Amino acid sequence: MNRLVTNDKSQVQVIARAATILRALEEENSGLSLGQIAQRVNLARSTVQRIVAALEAEKLVIAATPNGRVRLGPTILRLARIIPLGTPVEIVR
């Protein structure tokens, strides 16, 4: 049972870290490198690399340049369209 609780906490932590990475890319139209993301979110580059790979698989982030920068992907736009117009930004964040 204790192992299950630890696993649940680790899954929640991964989701929180992924959200932090997505927020770091929010205002970066030209994208960020993995190293830049790692520095901004205070995570190891290897951790950022694994999370970004999972986000790329879901098209939540995409390659911004051939040299490894990533930016928010089309799935973000598709998901954002679901939010009703007029929803206060505070609720969305």
Side-chain angles (χ1 to χ4, degrees):
M1 183 73 169
N2 195 17
R3 184 173 164 202
L4 182 61
V5 171
T6 302
N7 194 26
D8 287 347
K9 285 182 183 179
S10 125
Q11 289 174 354
V12 170
Q13 184 181 47
V14 169
I15 292 169
R17 287 175 170 179
T20 301
I21 289 169
L22 292 172
R23 282 192 295 275
L25 293 168
E26 187 174 8
E27 300 292 328
E28 300 295 336
N29 293 333
S30 60
L32 294 172
S33 69
L34 295 178
Q36 289 171 315
I37 295 168
Q39 195 170 27
R40 288 191 185 192
V41 301
N42 199 28
L43 290 172
R45 189 185 179 285
S46 59
T47 301
V48 169
Q49 185 175 7
R50 285 192 304 274
I51 294 171
V52 165
L55 293 170
E56 279 182 314
E58 298 299 326
K59 304 260 189 287
L60 290 163
V61 300
I62 58 172
T65 63
N67 63 352
R69 287 178 168 262
V70 294
R71 64 181 174 88
L72 294 177
T75 299
I76 295 289
L77 291 174
R78 188 171 48 82
L79 293 170
R81 284 196 307 246
I82 297 168
I83 299 171
L85 291 176
T87 301
V89 176
E90 304 82 51
I91 293 173
V92 175
R93 288 186 178 204

